[in-house]
Amino acid sequence: MNSDGNIIIFSGTKDVIWSSNSSMTVKNPTAQLLDTGNFVLRDGKRESYVWQSFDYPCDSMIAGMKLGWSLKENRNWSMSSWKNADDPSPGDFTYKVDHSGLPEFILQKGSEILYRSGNYDGIIFGGDPEIKSTPVYDPMFVYHANEMYYIFEDIYPEKSRFVLNQTGSIDHLKWDDINQEWVVVITLLRDSCDNYDPCGAHGTCNINNVPPCGCLKGFTPKSPQQYSDAFNPSAGCLRSSPLACSREEGFVKFTKVKFPDNSQVLDTTNNCEKECLARCSCSAYAITDVASCIVCSGDLHDIRSYNDGWSTNIYVRMSANYLRDIHVESSNKKKIIVSVVLGISLLGLTAINFLIIRQKRRARRGGININNHDRDYNMNGSQEEDLELHAFHLATIETATNYFFFANKIGEGGFGLVYKGQLSTGQKIAVKRLSTHSGQGISEFKNEVKLIAKLQHRNLVRLLGCCIQGGERMLIYEYMPNKSLDNFIFDRTRDISLNWLKCFEIIVGIARGLMYLHEDSRLRIIHRDLKASNVLLDGDLNPKISDFGAAKTFRGDQTEGNTRRVFGTYGYMSPEYTIDGLFSMKSDVYSFGVVVLEIISGKKNRGFTHPDHDLNLLGHVWKLWNEDKAIEVMNSNMETPFHVPISQILRCIHVGLLCVQQRPEDKPAM
């Protein structure tokens, strides 16, 4: 620190590498590293800072730092990535607040925009969730005449940071004190619709649609084939009827969308609609809590649609011809509706009688009745008696899981995340929360509920209830404190706790559970996705088969099925199922054989490598078996009590190999 109060870093040859470059002259300069992590330069004991490191975020923000603008001082607090992992000089990516219109966050690579949050309307940015406190940090966006910035504070005792890494990914991380590592709390770019302008001019992106790109109503694709090809949607859309800047033009309301790019705030006391209509270049407008009139000119870019949650309503300018067409269409619909209502009135009594008869028949057939807080669901079954299933209220599950706090996440399957929770009674539960973007639809969800509700066996996970409310679909299971089998057999730090006797008990328990599904349950059930991660372990390490979302039922003498939609996990699926879509009880037998060999070896079938050959785990075990060296398969870290005969271990290896034979007819039954 020199006499002027500037902090300077010199090279070994006394060349200046970096300087705080403060323009203020300081009589009694003092540098101090505060407990907040802020490195400050002040004049003596004065509270104000001459210079502070918090004004220069670089690639990371910590609690108390700002991201935005001081409009009074024309100071920009922005983030820039490192050039690479070893070079902290500014890299390709920047993340900043753009205040040319209403504030919005922008991610850029050089001058190219990669992501735009959408405008701040006083509550949210675009369609993002409302800025509110989480269990880890408390965020806030300050917006007034002199400053606009994002800031957060950690919730004691948590420690977190906001990072822009070298690949352009933006993550909020939390320090995991137990594992001594940073873990992701939130990733900013969630899906392909978060990319900048993925659908082109007048196109709208909805991640719940396939393909996600489409045109706003009143617009058509520039190329009729462009939206049939999900890989080339960005050509955009054209108006079905061009604008002519006439007084007869008007606006059509679009709800739950992100406001287009290149907006500007109009400082006007006039009606926003009239103000926009008076400008020929104005193509859309919106009204927000922080601006009475915000408008767009020219083509509309970077629009995203949302199915639910917070979002903006926008009004898009339409031609007089288009408005006349939709008026005529609306009038015709009203005439049709009047005619239909008269017909419906005549058929009303007949319909009511039909519903009563159908309800009586349904009651006689029986089923699973789920009485939900929002509505009643009936999932028809084939049993003679009703099976009552407890319906949990969404608020109960949110409280039990601390609003699905990430630290409560205990698993992740093909259809969603699994959280642990605790009810007000003290009972611990596991909540399987289906993702809205998952492959499991309502049919698979009902399938899993109906199947598990009818199954009662000590080696099958027990379903406590479900929750179907507010767009959520969740299954509530008994909590398994030891999580899944794969955590033990594939984790080098834990497999020492599973000795051979316990492994043998787990193998036998899985076999009993499968035999119940195939032979002893009321329905013959094929699991179709048996694997180590779908075998849960209770407090005594007893195995319980879980995840019945892909299961199929056989009735009567049926022993085999065929499907074009193959469910399962590669490495566990039988050849005939993977290639031809043929599944049977022998499909589960194959999966069981793979799990048995994985338990014994402590190795995964998929991804297995050996320095002497290119075989997978199954091929490796067959090779050793044929060479009379099968005992070498056994996990070297596994404790083997001296009184356990080697023949028992070899018998299990033999059973595993019999189960994974290529031809279904060669495999044994459970």
Side-chain angles (χ1 to χ4, degrees), residues 388-392 423 427-430 452 461-466 475-479:
E388 292 299 328
L389 187 63
H390 182 70
F392 288 87
L423 300 175
Q427 181 181 9
K428 292 184 178 180
I429 58 173
I452 305 178
V461 69
R462 185 162 63 97
L463 182 67
L464 302 178
C466 66
L475 296 173
I476 291 81
Y477 295 101
E478 58 179 332
Y479 176 64

Side-chain angles (χ1 to χ4, degrees), residues 197-205 210-216 219-239 300-301:
D197 198 24
C199 303
H202 309 297
T204 178
C205 192
V210 179
C213 282
C215 291
L216 292 171
F219 296 79
T220 57
K222 284 185 178 178
S223 168
Q225 292 80 30
Q226 74 186 61
Y227 286 135
S228 63
D229 179 5
F231 296 99
N232 185 31
S234 58
C237 305
L238 296 173
R239 291 181 179 273
L300 306 179
H301 286 273

Side-chain angles (χ1 to χ4, degrees), residues 71-170:
L71 302 178
K72 185 177 181 180
E73 300 176 0
N74 196 30
R75 181 191 298 276
N76 178 24
W77 300 293
S78 62
M79 300 174 68
S80 60
S81 66
W82 284 21
K83 186 165 289 186
N84 57 56
D86 301 315
D87 187 350
S89 59
D92 296 331
F93 300 95
T94 56
Y95 188 59
K96 62 184 181 181
V97 172
D98 179 17
H99 66 96
S100 54
L102 286 180
E104 58 184 355
F105 292 107
I106 300 290
L107 173 66
Q108 290 180 287
K109 183 178 183 181
S111 59
E112 177 189 4
I113 298 177
L114 302 180
Y115 163 80
R116 184 182 69 93
S117 66
N119 300 106
Y120 181 64
D121 67 358
I123 300 174
I124 60 167
F125 285 88
D128 288 339
E130 180 182 358
I131 298 175
K132 58 184 180 180
S133 181
T134 75
V136 177
Y137 62 95
D138 185 13
M140 179 173 59
F141 190 78
V142 176
Y143 181 46
H144 51 66
N146 292 328
E147 289 184 318
M148 60 177 74
Y149 59 84
Y150 172 83
I151 191 172
F152 70 89
E153 296 294 338
D154 288 332
I155 305 295
Y156 182 82
E158 304 289 0
K159 301 179 184 66
S160 71
R161 63 189 178 111
F162 194 61
V163 180
L164 170 62
N165 66 31
Q166 302 94 314
T167 64
S169 174
I170 304 173

Side-chain angles (χ1 to χ4, degrees), residues 281-298:
S281 62
C282 183
S283 52
Y285 77 90
I287 300 171
T288 70
D289 289 346
V290 294
S292 59
C293 188
I294 178 172
V295 298
C296 264
S297 299

Side-chain angles (χ1 to χ4, degrees), residues 450-520:
K450 286 194 292 185
L451 286 179
I452 305 178
K454 297 174 183 177
L455 300 178
Q456 298 293 331
H457 191 272
R458 62 175 298 184
N459 294 116
L460 302 180
V461 69
R462 185 162 63 97
L463 182 67
L464 302 178
C466 66
C467 175
I468 313 174
Q469 184 184 343
E472 294 278 5
R473 288 173 289 160
M474 293 180 282
L475 296 173
I476 291 81
Y477 295 101
E478 58 179 332
Y479 176 64
M480 298 287 107
N482 282 310
K483 300 182 182 179
S484 55
L485 176 61
D486 61 326
N487 287 325
F488 280 84
I489 61 176
F490 301 139
D491 189 341
R492 297 275 70 83
T493 65
R494 298 183 67 172
D495 56 13
I496 193 69
S497 63
L498 286 183
N499 60 37
W500 169 249
L501 290 179
K502 180 51 68 177
C503 285
F504 184 71
E505 290 176 5
I506 291 173
I507 291 171
V508 172
I510 299 171
R512 285 175 176 158
L514 275 183
M515 187 171 69
Y516 171 80
L517 294 176
H518 292 178
E519 304 292 344
D520 300 330

Side-chain angles (χ1 to χ4, degrees), residues 150-196:
Y150 172 83
I151 191 172
F152 70 89
E153 296 294 338
D154 288 332
I155 305 295
Y156 182 82
E158 304 289 0
K159 301 179 184 66
S160 71
R161 63 189 178 111
F162 194 61
V163 180
L164 170 62
N165 66 31
Q166 302 94 314
T167 64
S169 174
I170 304 173
D171 304 309
H172 203 121
L173 309 176
K174 166 190 175 296
W175 178 249
D176 184 345
D177 208 33
I178 297 176
N179 296 314
Q180 294 290 293
E181 62 180 0
W182 291 99
V183 295
V184 176
V185 179
I186 293 175
T187 296
L188 193 63
L189 276 69
R190 298 158 295 184
D191 51 56
S192 59
C193 284
D194 271 337
N195 296 329
Y196 180 75

